[in-house]
Amino acid sequence: MSLRAITVLSFFLIVSACGGMPLDDRTKPDENNLKSSRMNPADADSVDGIKPEKIYLLVGIDSRGEPDSRSDAILLARYDRAGNRMKLASIMRDSYVKIPGYNNGYNKINMSYYLGGTKLLKQTIYENFHIKADHVATIDFQGFIQLVDLLAPEGIKANIKPEMIQDMSLEATKGEQVLHGDEILKYVRFRHDSESDFGRVKRQQEVLLQLKDIMYERLYSVDGIFTLPHVIKETFALTDTDMGVKELAELGSIMLFHQIEDVSTLRIPVEGSFLDKSYPHSGAVLQINKEENKRALINFFGE
């Protein structure tokens, strides 16, 4: 996976998810078709008086402005306000899943975005894993580069492998280095080693956690409260989300008083739950054990 979604995760997720807004009816596949069965938010189950939290879908787009593109990074996140914890699950783009309405039935999960955008991607995730995303945010290459530099102007630490330098044309030496937007994009996109896409996921989550810490350091500084409105405005301009500026601003202010103390991560497919396969219509894929991975996601998010 690449890091495009990290731009959203580094701010949209940290800001939006920290809001802890009540969730209504996360486990319904299509909001338009199930309006009559929607649950009243006031009737939702709660723990110690706190409503279940929303789940956010963050999508990194493999594009530099082209009209047709695929989702190169797919992440689900949830903030548990009761425990002041964040949960982050990465779904690997080559996961072989059933795509609703698709002629061949199954393909890589990133094909669902290519065929039907975020709407079909959300439906695909629900039908395969029984997890419904409440809000979505997407971003492409250029948006990522600009937003990482906005959020972390002093750069991000990364452990550079020798093979990364030549493969990604990085202007860096091996070992721990401080990288910026374009370099970080190359760093997380790298996959030509023994870890392949699994290494991408690990680096993606690694950079996310650094960005989270950097954001908190900035926002809890003397001028943090004055910086937040500008950061929200710029972030909103660089991302495509179904949340409005006002809601992001409100959630951002809540974040200042609810610093995340613990972050749990998960990778789908989980270890030992997939096989490397290849099909004429899709190429190399990760053929997952659907039930095992569905259980893993449901248990992870506390459903």
Side-chain angles (χ1 to χ4, degrees), residues 21-56:
M21 303 285 287
L23 164 68
D24 58 353
D25 201 23
R26 175 168 45 257
T27 55
K28 296 294 188 294
D30 190 310
E31 207 170 305
N32 294 326
N33 294 334
L34 295 172
K35 288 182 178 178
S36 61
S37 62
R38 284 183 65 88
M39 169 178 66
N40 188 316
D43 298 329
D45 293 333
S46 63
V47 178
D48 296 330
I50 298 177
K51 303 293 186 181
E53 313 295 350
K54 290 186 177 181
I55 286 183
Y56 298 85

PDB file of all heavy atoms in Angstrom, residues 21-56:
ATOM      1  N   MET A  21     -18.270  11.025  17.836  1.00  0.00           N
ATOM      2  CA  MET A  21     -19.677  11.292  17.568  1.00  0.00           C
ATOM      3  C   MET A  21     -20.473   9.995  17.634  1.00  0.00           C
ATOM      4  O   MET A  21     -19.976   8.936  17.305  1.00  0.00           O
ATOM      5  CB  MET A  21     -19.827  11.905  16.171  1.00  0.00           C
ATOM      6  CG  MET A  21     -19.017  13.171  15.995  1.00  0.00           C
ATOM      7  SD  MET A  21     -19.734  14.578  16.820  1.00  0.00           S
ATOM      8  CE  MET A  21     -21.110  14.898  15.732  1.00  0.00           C
ATOM      9  N   PRO A  22     -21.759  10.017  18.047  1.00  0.00           N
ATOM     10  CA  PRO A  22     -22.568   8.806  18.103  1.00  0.00           C
ATOM     11  C   PRO A  22     -22.724   8.180  16.730  1.00  0.00           C
ATOM     12  O   PRO A  22     -22.819   8.879  15.725  1.00  0.00           O
ATOM     13  CB  PRO A  22     -23.929   9.310  18.619  1.00  0.00           C
ATOM     14  CG  PRO A  22     -23.635  10.614  19.267  1.00  0.00           C
ATOM     15  CD  PRO A  22     -22.485  11.188  18.506  1.00  0.00           C
ATOM     16  N   LEU A  23     -22.752   6.874  16.705  1.00  0.00           N
ATOM     17  CA  LEU A  23     -22.910   6.143  15.453  1.00  0.00           C
ATOM     18  C   LEU A  23     -24.331   5.622  15.343  1.00  0.00           C
ATOM     19  O   LEU A  23     -24.870   5.078  16.291  1.00  0.00           O
ATOM     20  CB  LEU A  23     -21.949   4.947  15.435  1.00  0.00           C
ATOM     21  CG  LEU A  23     -22.261   3.882  14.391  1.00  0.00           C
ATOM     22  CD1 LEU A  23     -22.012   4.459  13.007  1.00  0.00           C
ATOM     23  CD2 LEU A  23     -21.423   2.661  14.603  1.00  0.00           C
ATOM     24  N   ASP A  24     -24.944   5.806  14.173  1.00  0.00           N
ATOM     25  CA  ASP A  24     -26.255   5.197  13.998  1.00  0.00           C
ATOM     26  C   ASP A  24     -26.190   4.192  12.859  1.00  0.00           C
ATOM     27  O   ASP A  24     -25.884   4.504  11.734  1.00  0.00           O
ATOM     28  CB  ASP A  24     -27.349   6.228  13.734  1.00  0.00           C
ATOM     29  CG  ASP A  24     -27.067   7.071  12.510  1.00  0.00           C
ATOM     30  OD1 ASP A  24     -25.967   6.958  11.943  1.00  0.00           O
ATOM     31  OD2 ASP A  24     -27.961   7.828  12.138  1.00  0.00           O
ATOM     32  N   ASP A  25     -26.422   2.924  13.231  1.00  0.00           N
ATOM     33  CA  ASP A  25     -26.632   1.901  12.214  1.00  0.00           C
ATOM     34  C   ASP A  25     -25.407   1.618  11.355  1.00  0.00           C
ATOM     35  O   ASP A  25     -25.482   1.618  10.148  1.00  0.00           O
ATOM     36  CB  ASP A  25     -27.791   2.349  11.306  1.00  0.00           C
ATOM     37  CG  ASP A  25     -28.398   1.172  10.572  1.00  0.00           C
ATOM     38  OD1 ASP A  25     -28.269   0.041  11.044  1.00  0.00           O
ATOM     39  OD2 ASP A  25     -29.008   1.410   9.539  1.00  0.00           O
ATOM     40  N   ARG A  26     -24.276   1.317  12.005  1.00  0.00           N
ATOM     41  CA  ARG A  26     -23.075   1.041  11.236  1.00  0.00           C
ATOM     42  C   ARG A  26     -23.204  -0.241  10.409  1.00  0.00           C
ATOM     43  O   ARG A  26     -22.587  -0.383   9.369  1.00  0.00           O
ATOM     44  CB  ARG A  26     -21.854   0.918  12.157  1.00  0.00           C
ATOM     45  CG  ARG A  26     -20.635   0.525  11.394  1.00  0.00           C
ATOM     46  CD  ARG A  26     -19.350   0.660  12.160  1.00  0.00           C
ATOM     47  NE  ARG A  26     -19.415   0.136  13.493  1.00  0.00           N
ATOM     48  CZ  ARG A  26     -19.528   0.884  14.574  1.00  0.00           C
ATOM     49  NH1 ARG A  26     -19.591   2.180  14.461  1.00  0.00           N
ATOM     50  NH2 ARG A  26     -19.582   0.344  15.760  1.00  0.00           N
ATOM     51  N   THR A  27     -23.989  -1.195  10.855  1.00  0.00           N
ATOM     52  CA  THR A  27     -23.979  -2.488  10.207  1.00  0.00           C
ATOM     53  C   THR A  27     -25.056  -2.665   9.153  1.00  0.00           C
ATOM     54  O   THR A  27     -25.514  -3.756   8.886  1.00  0.00           O
ATOM     55  CB  THR A  27     -24.142  -3.606  11.259  1.00  0.00           C
ATOM     56  OG1 THR A  27     -25.331  -3.345  12.012  1.00  0.00           O
ATOM     57  CG2 THR A  27     -22.959  -3.622  12.201  1.00  0.00           C
ATOM     58  N   LYS A  28     -25.443  -1.599   8.471  1.00  0.00           N
ATOM     59  CA  LYS A  28     -26.367  -1.697   7.356  1.00  0.00           C
ATOM     60  C   LYS A  28     -25.618  -1.396   6.058  1.00  0.00           C
ATOM     61  O   LYS A  28     -24.898  -0.425   5.983  1.00  0.00           O
ATOM     62  CB  LYS A  28     -27.530  -0.709   7.523  1.00  0.00           C
ATOM     63  CG  LYS A  28     -28.399  -1.005   8.728  1.00  0.00           C
ATOM     64  CD  LYS A  28     -29.119  -2.313   8.572  1.00  0.00           C
ATOM     65  CE  LYS A  28     -30.138  -2.512   9.671  1.00  0.00           C
ATOM     66  NZ  LYS A  28     -29.605  -2.664  10.994  1.00  0.00           N
ATOM     67  N   PRO A  29     -25.796  -2.225   4.990  1.00  0.00           N
ATOM     68  CA  PRO A  29     -24.964  -2.093   3.808  1.00  0.00           C
ATOM     69  C   PRO A  29     -25.229  -0.894   2.922  1.00  0.00           C
ATOM     70  O   PRO A  29     -24.331  -0.366   2.321  1.00  0.00           O
ATOM     71  CB  PRO A  29     -25.259  -3.386   3.045  1.00  0.00           C
ATOM     72  CG  PRO A  29     -26.626  -3.778   3.476  1.00  0.00           C
ATOM     73  CD  PRO A  29     -26.728  -3.345   4.908  1.00  0.00           C
ATOM     74  N   ASP A  30     -26.482  -0.461   2.812  1.00  0.00           N
ATOM     75  CA  ASP A  30     -26.763   0.622   1.868  1.00  0.00           C
ATOM     76  C   ASP A  30     -27.782   1.559   2.484  1.00  0.00           C
ATOM     77  O   ASP A  30     -28.939   1.217   2.675  1.00  0.00           O
ATOM     78  CB  ASP A  30     -27.305   0.052   0.551  1.00  0.00           C
ATOM     79  CG  ASP A  30     -27.363   1.127  -0.529  1.00  0.00           C
ATOM     80  OD1 ASP A  30     -27.900   2.218  -0.267  1.00  0.00           O
ATOM     81  OD2 ASP A  30     -26.885   0.862  -1.636  1.00  0.00           O
ATOM     82  N   GLU A  31     -27.333   2.747   2.806  1.00  0.00           N
ATOM     83  CA  GLU A  31     -28.183   3.705   3.503  1.00  0.00           C
ATOM     84  C   GLU A  31     -29.429   4.054   2.712  1.00  0.00           C
ATOM     85  O   GLU A  31     -30.525   4.195   3.240  1.00  0.00           O
ATOM     86  CB  GLU A  31     -27.368   4.974   3.773  1.00  0.00           C
ATOM     87  CG  GLU A  31     -27.835   5.728   4.974  1.00  0.00           C
ATOM     88  CD  GLU A  31     -26.874   6.825   5.334  1.00  0.00           C
ATOM     89  OE1 GLU A  31     -25.685   6.531   5.526  1.00  0.00           O
ATOM     90  OE2 GLU A  31     -27.323   7.987   5.399  1.00  0.00           O
ATOM     91  N   ASN A  32     -29.322   4.185   1.396  1.00  0.00           N
ATOM     92  CA  ASN A  32     -30.455   4.584   0.563  1.00  0.00           C
ATOM     93  C   ASN A  32     -31.541   3.519   0.518  1.00  0.00           C
ATOM     94  O   ASN A  32     -32.725   3.818   0.426  1.00  0.00           O
ATOM     95  CB  ASN A  32     -29.981   4.876  -0.857  1.00  0.00           C
ATOM     96  CG  ASN A  32     -29.081   6.089  -0.892  1.00  0.00           C
ATOM     97  OD1 ASN A  32     -29.279   7.029  -0.126  1.00  0.00           O
ATOM     98  ND2 ASN A  32     -28.082   6.072  -1.761  1.00  0.00           N
ATOM     99  N   ASN A  33     -31.119   2.249   0.570  1.00  0.00           N
ATOM    100  CA  ASN A  33     -32.094   1.170   0.447  1.00  0.00           C
ATOM    101  C   ASN A  33     -32.683   0.743   1.785  1.00  0.00           C
ATOM    102  O   ASN A  33     -33.624  -0.033   1.825  1.00  0.00           O
ATOM    103  CB  ASN A  33     -31.434  -0.055  -0.203  1.00  0.00           C
ATOM    104  CG  ASN A  33     -31.029   0.229  -1.633  1.00  0.00           C
ATOM    105  OD1 ASN A  33     -31.608   1.088  -2.287  1.00  0.00           O
ATOM    106  ND2 ASN A  33     -30.017  -0.479  -2.126  1.00  0.00           N
ATOM    107  N   LEU A  34     -32.126   1.245   2.892  1.00  0.00           N
ATOM    108  CA  LEU A  34     -32.563   0.746   4.176  1.00  0.00           C
ATOM    109  C   LEU A  34     -33.032   1.859   5.113  1.00  0.00           C
ATOM    110  O   LEU A  34     -32.932   1.760   6.311  1.00  0.00           O
ATOM    111  CB  LEU A  34     -31.409  -0.018   4.837  1.00  0.00           C
ATOM    112  CG  LEU A  34     -30.968  -1.288   4.098  1.00  0.00           C
ATOM    113  CD1 LEU A  34     -29.708  -1.842   4.742  1.00  0.00           C
ATOM    114  CD2 LEU A  34     -32.060  -2.343   4.149  1.00  0.00           C
ATOM    115  N   LYS A  35     -33.538   2.933   4.538  1.00  0.00           N
ATOM    116  CA  LYS A  35     -33.958   4.063   5.368  1.00  0.00           C
ATOM    117  C   LYS A  35     -35.024   3.655   6.369  1.00  0.00           C
ATOM    118  O   LYS A  35     -35.050   4.128   7.492  1.00  0.00           O
ATOM    119  CB  LYS A  35     -34.488   5.196   4.487  1.00  0.00           C
ATOM    120  CG  LYS A  35     -33.379   5.909   3.710  1.00  0.00           C
ATOM    121  CD  LYS A  35     -33.940   7.053   2.890  1.00  0.00           C
ATOM    122  CE  LYS A  35     -32.835   7.792   2.155  1.00  0.00           C
ATOM    123  NZ  LYS A  35     -33.359   8.887   1.317  1.00  0.00           N
ATOM    124  N   SER A  36     -35.920   2.762   5.951  1.00  0.00           N
ATOM    125  CA  SER A  36     -37.023   2.397   6.835  1.00  0.00           C
ATOM    126  C   SER A  36     -36.554   1.604   8.031  1.00  0.00           C
ATOM    127  O   SER A  36     -37.245   1.542   9.045  1.00  0.00           O
ATOM    128  CB  SER A  36     -38.049   1.568   6.046  1.00  0.00           C
ATOM    129  OG  SER A  36     -37.459   0.380   5.556  1.00  0.00           O
ATOM    130  N   SER A  37     -35.382   0.965   7.922  1.00  0.00           N
ATOM    131  CA  SER A  37     -34.919   0.132   9.030  1.00  0.00           C
ATOM    132  C   SER A  37     -33.840   0.802   9.849  1.00  0.00           C
ATOM    133  O   SER A  37     -33.246   0.184  10.720  1.00  0.00           O
ATOM    134  CB  SER A  37     -34.364  -1.200   8.477  1.00  0.00           C
ATOM    135  OG  SER A  37     -33.252  -0.957   7.635  1.00  0.00           O
ATOM    136  N   ARG A  38     -33.567   2.094   9.605  1.00  0.00           N
ATOM    137  CA  ARG A  38     -32.520   2.771  10.352  1.00  0.00           C
ATOM    138  C   ARG A  38     -32.890   2.878  11.829  1.00  0.00           C
ATOM    139  O   ARG A  38     -34.025   3.111  12.189  1.00  0.00           O
ATOM    140  CB  ARG A  38     -32.275   4.179   9.786  1.00  0.00           C
ATOM    141  CG  ARG A  38     -31.505   4.170   8.493  1.00  0.00           C
ATOM    142  CD  ARG A  38     -31.238   5.580   8.033  1.00  0.00           C
ATOM    143  NE  ARG A  38     -30.375   6.270   8.964  1.00  0.00           N
ATOM    144  CZ  ARG A  38     -29.054   6.224   8.893  1.00  0.00           C
ATOM    145  NH1 ARG A  38     -28.471   5.530   7.950  1.00  0.00           N
ATOM    146  NH2 ARG A  38     -28.311   6.865   9.763  1.00  0.00           N
ATOM    147  N   MET A  39     -31.886   2.746  12.648  1.00  0.00           N
ATOM    148  CA  MET A  39     -32.066   2.807  14.081  1.00  0.00           C
ATOM    149  C   MET A  39     -31.917   4.244  14.543  1.00  0.00           C
ATOM    150  O   MET A  39     -31.076   4.982  14.059  1.00  0.00           O
ATOM    151  CB  MET A  39     -30.986   1.928  14.718  1.00  0.00           C
ATOM    152  CG  MET A  39     -30.826   2.045  16.200  1.00  0.00           C
ATOM    153  SD  MET A  39     -29.551   0.905  16.759  1.00  0.00           S
ATOM    154  CE  MET A  39     -28.097   1.592  15.980  1.00  0.00           C
ATOM    155  N   ASN A  40     -32.722   4.651  15.475  1.00  0.00           N
ATOM    156  CA  ASN A  40     -32.580   5.969  16.068  1.00  0.00           C
ATOM    157  C   ASN A  40     -31.290   6.003  16.874  1.00  0.00           C
ATOM    158  O   ASN A  40     -31.052   5.129  17.700  1.00  0.00           O
ATOM    159  CB  ASN A  40     -33.768   6.232  16.996  1.00  0.00           C
ATOM    160  CG  ASN A  40     -33.795   7.666  17.494  1.00  0.00           C
ATOM    161  OD1 ASN A  40     -32.769   8.199  17.875  1.00  0.00           O
ATOM    162  ND2 ASN A  40     -34.990   8.234  17.510  1.00  0.00           N
ATOM    163  N   PRO A  41     -30.440   7.032  16.671  1.00  0.00           N
ATOM    164  CA  PRO A  41     -29.193   7.100  17.422  1.00  0.00           C
ATOM    165  C   PRO A  41     -29.403   7.026  18.931  1.00  0.00           C
ATOM    166  O   PRO A  41     -28.575   6.502  19.653  1.00  0.00           O
ATOM    167  CB  PRO A  41     -28.615   8.462  17.019  1.00  0.00           C
ATOM    168  CG  PRO A  41     -29.197   8.734  15.667  1.00  0.00           C
ATOM    169  CD  PRO A  41     -30.559   8.141  15.703  1.00  0.00           C
ATOM    170  N   ALA A  42     -30.523   7.534  19.383  1.00  0.00           N
ATOM    171  CA  ALA A  42     -30.777   7.521  20.826  1.00  0.00           C
ATOM    172  C   ALA A  42     -30.998   6.116  21.342  1.00  0.00           C
ATOM    173  O   ALA A  42     -30.873   5.851  22.539  1.00  0.00           O
ATOM    174  CB  ALA A  42     -31.978   8.395  21.149  1.00  0.00           C
ATOM    175  N   ASP A  43     -31.347   5.180  20.430  1.00  0.00           N
ATOM    176  CA  ASP A  43     -31.613   3.806  20.838  1.00  0.00           C
ATOM    177  C   ASP A  43     -30.386   2.925  20.722  1.00  0.00           C
ATOM    178  O   ASP A  43     -30.445   1.735  21.028  1.00  0.00           O
ATOM    179  CB  ASP A  43     -32.733   3.209  19.982  1.00  0.00           C
ATOM    180  CG  ASP A  43     -34.033   3.969  20.172  1.00  0.00           C
ATOM    181  OD1 ASP A  43     -34.259   4.489  21.279  1.00  0.00           O
ATOM    182  OD2 ASP A  43     -34.797   4.034  19.196  1.00  0.00           O
ATOM    183  N   ALA A  44     -29.266   3.479  20.234  1.00  0.00           N
ATOM    184  CA  ALA A  44     -28.071   2.667  20.037  1.00  0.00           C
ATOM    185  C   ALA A  44     -27.559   2.155  21.368  1.00  0.00           C
ATOM    186  O   ALA A  44     -27.711   2.780  22.409  1.00  0.00           O
ATOM    187  CB  ALA A  44     -26.980   3.502  19.355  1.00  0.00           C
ATOM    188  N   ASP A  45     -26.920   0.971  21.322  1.00  0.00           N
ATOM    189  CA  ASP A  45     -26.324   0.424  22.525  1.00  0.00           C
ATOM    190  C   ASP A  45     -25.201   1.328  22.994  1.00  0.00           C
ATOM    191  O   ASP A  45     -24.516   1.968  22.213  1.00  0.00           O
ATOM    192  CB  ASP A  45     -25.745  -0.978  22.246  1.00  0.00           C
ATOM    193  CG  ASP A  45     -26.846  -1.976  21.933  1.00  0.00           C
ATOM    194  OD1 ASP A  45     -27.969  -1.760  22.413  1.00  0.00           O
ATOM    195  OD2 ASP A  45     -26.566  -2.958  21.225  1.00  0.00           O
ATOM    196  N   SER A  46     -24.984   1.410  24.284  1.00  0.00           N
ATOM    197  CA  SER A  46     -23.903   2.239  24.799  1.00  0.00           C
ATOM    198  C   SER A  46     -23.214   1.515  25.939  1.00  0.00           C
ATOM    199  O   SER A  46     -23.760   0.604  26.545  1.00  0.00           O
ATOM    200  CB  SER A  46     -24.445   3.584  25.284  1.00  0.00           C
ATOM    201  OG  SER A  46     -25.349   3.386  26.355  1.00  0.00           O
ATOM    202  N   VAL A  47     -22.004   1.942  26.234  1.00  0.00           N
ATOM    203  CA  VAL A  47     -21.244   1.402  27.339  1.00  0.00           C
ATOM    204  C   VAL A  47     -20.929   2.566  28.275  1.00  0.00           C
ATOM    205  O   VAL A  47     -20.319   3.544  27.876  1.00  0.00           O
ATOM    206  CB  VAL A  47     -19.936   0.755  26.838  1.00  0.00           C
ATOM    207  CG1 VAL A  47     -19.131   0.232  28.025  1.00  0.00           C
ATOM    208  CG2 VAL A  47     -20.243  -0.370  25.851  1.00  0.00           C
ATOM    209  N   ASP A  48     -21.367   2.447  29.522  1.00  0.00           N
ATOM    210  CA  ASP A  48     -21.153   3.528  30.493  1.00  0.00           C
ATOM    211  C   ASP A  48     -21.679   4.859  29.970  1.00  0.00           C
ATOM    212  O   ASP A  48     -21.084   5.919  30.187  1.00  0.00           O
ATOM    213  CB  ASP A  48     -19.664   3.652  30.822  1.00  0.00           C
ATOM    214  CG  ASP A  48     -19.140   2.398  31.508  1.00  0.00           C
ATOM    215  OD1 ASP A  48     -19.934   1.741  32.203  1.00  0.00           O
ATOM    216  OD2 ASP A  48     -17.949   2.083  31.335  1.00  0.00           O
ATOM    217  N   GLY A  49     -22.780   4.814  29.236  1.00  0.00           N
ATOM    218  CA  GLY A  49     -23.404   6.041  28.767  1.00  0.00           C
ATOM    219  C   GLY A  49     -22.794   6.630  27.524  1.00  0.00           C
ATOM    220  O   GLY A  49     -23.213   7.672  27.062  1.00  0.00           O
ATOM    221  N   ILE A  50     -21.775   5.980  26.948  1.00  0.00           N
ATOM    222  CA  ILE A  50     -21.112   6.510  25.762  1.00  0.00           C
ATOM    223  C   ILE A  50     -21.532   5.697  24.541  1.00  0.00           C
ATOM    224  O   ILE A  50     -21.459   4.479  24.528  1.00  0.00           O
ATOM    225  CB  ILE A  50     -19.575   6.467  25.926  1.00  0.00           C
ATOM    226  CG1 ILE A  50     -19.172   7.364  27.106  1.00  0.00           C
ATOM    227  CG2 ILE A  50     -18.877   6.910  24.658  1.00  0.00           C
ATOM    228  CD1 ILE A  50     -17.702   7.344  27.402  1.00  0.00           C
ATOM    229  N   LYS A  51     -21.985   6.377  23.499  1.00  0.00           N
ATOM    230  CA  LYS A  51     -22.477   5.709  22.306  1.00  0.00           C
ATOM    231  C   LYS A  51     -21.331   5.046  21.529  1.00  0.00           C
ATOM    232  O   LYS A  51     -20.190   5.461  21.632  1.00  0.00           O
ATOM    233  CB  LYS A  51     -23.162   6.726  21.390  1.00  0.00           C
ATOM    234  CG  LYS A  51     -24.301   7.478  22.047  1.00  0.00           C
ATOM    235  CD  LYS A  51     -25.470   6.594  22.368  1.00  0.00           C
ATOM    236  CE  LYS A  51     -26.648   7.406  22.901  1.00  0.00           C
ATOM    237  NZ  LYS A  51     -27.788   6.568  23.250  1.00  0.00           N
ATOM    238  N   PRO A  52     -21.659   4.032  20.721  1.00  0.00           N
ATOM    239  CA  PRO A  52     -20.643   3.450  19.851  1.00  0.00           C
ATOM    240  C   PRO A  52     -20.068   4.524  18.937  1.00  0.00           C
ATOM    241  O   PRO A  52     -20.755   5.446  18.523  1.00  0.00           O
ATOM    242  CB  PRO A  52     -21.428   2.399  19.052  1.00  0.00           C
ATOM    243  CG  PRO A  52     -22.611   2.084  19.903  1.00  0.00           C
ATOM    244  CD  PRO A  52     -22.951   3.369  20.591  1.00  0.00           C
ATOM    245  N   GLU A  53     -18.784   4.412  18.586  1.00  0.00           N
ATOM    246  CA  GLU A  53     -18.113   5.427  17.799  1.00  0.00           C
ATOM    247  C   GLU A  53     -18.211   5.127  16.309  1.00  0.00           C
ATOM    248  O   GLU A  53     -18.434   3.993  15.902  1.00  0.00           O
ATOM    249  CB  GLU A  53     -16.644   5.514  18.220  1.00  0.00           C
ATOM    250  CG  GLU A  53     -16.410   5.566  19.719  1.00  0.00           C
ATOM    251  CD  GLU A  53     -16.962   6.815  20.375  1.00  0.00           C
ATOM    252  OE1 GLU A  53     -17.368   7.733  19.653  1.00  0.00           O
ATOM    253  OE2 GLU A  53     -16.989   6.874  21.613  1.00  0.00           O
ATOM    254  N   LYS A  54     -17.984   6.139  15.512  1.00  0.00           N
ATOM    255  CA  LYS A  54     -18.054   5.974  14.063  1.00  0.00           C
ATOM    256  C   LYS A  54     -16.803   5.303  13.508  1.00  0.00           C
ATOM    257  O   LYS A  54     -15.723   5.370  14.107  1.00  0.00           O
ATOM    258  CB  LYS A  54     -18.239   7.335  13.404  1.00  0.00           C
ATOM    259  CG  LYS A  54     -19.609   7.952  13.636  1.00  0.00           C
ATOM    260  CD  LYS A  54     -19.782   9.232  12.828  1.00  0.00           C
ATOM    261  CE  LYS A  54     -21.191   9.782  13.026  1.00  0.00           C
ATOM    262  NZ  LYS A  54     -21.418  11.006  12.237  1.00  0.00           N
ATOM    263  N   ILE A  55     -16.980   4.705  12.343  1.00  0.00           N
ATOM    264  CA  ILE A  55     -15.855   4.124  11.625  1.00  0.00           C
ATOM    265  C   ILE A  55     -15.608   4.959  10.381  1.00  0.00           C
ATOM    266  O   ILE A  55     -16.542   5.348   9.681  1.00  0.00           O
ATOM    267  CB  ILE A  55     -16.119   2.647  11.259  1.00  0.00           C
ATOM    268  CG1 ILE A  55     -15.999   1.784  12.517  1.00  0.00           C
ATOM    269  CG2 ILE A  55     -15.151   2.167  10.189  1.00  0.00           C
ATOM    270  CD1 ILE A  55     -16.156   0.307  12.276  1.00  0.00           C
ATOM    271  N   TYR A  56     -14.357   5.250  10.120  1.00  0.00           N
ATOM    272  CA  TYR A  56     -13.954   6.102   9.008  1.00  0.00           C
ATOM    273  C   TYR A  56     -13.185   5.270   7.987  1.00  0.00           C
ATOM    274  O   TYR A  56     -12.305   4.485   8.349  1.00  0.00           O
ATOM    275  CB  TYR A  56     -13.089   7.257   9.499  1.00  0.00           C
ATOM    276  CG  TYR A  56     -13.816   8.157  10.469  1.00  0.00           C
ATOM    277  CD1 TYR A  56     -13.860   7.853  11.829  1.00  0.00           C
ATOM    278  CD2 TYR A  56     -14.472   9.299  10.024  1.00  0.00           C
ATOM    279  CE1 TYR A  56     -14.547   8.667  12.711  1.00  0.00           C
ATOM    280  CE2 TYR A  56     -15.159  10.113  10.905  1.00  0.00           C
ATOM    281  CZ  TYR A  56     -15.199   9.795  12.249  1.00  0.00           C
ATOM    282  OH  TYR A  56     -15.884  10.598  13.125  1.00  0.00           O
TER     283      TYR A  56
END
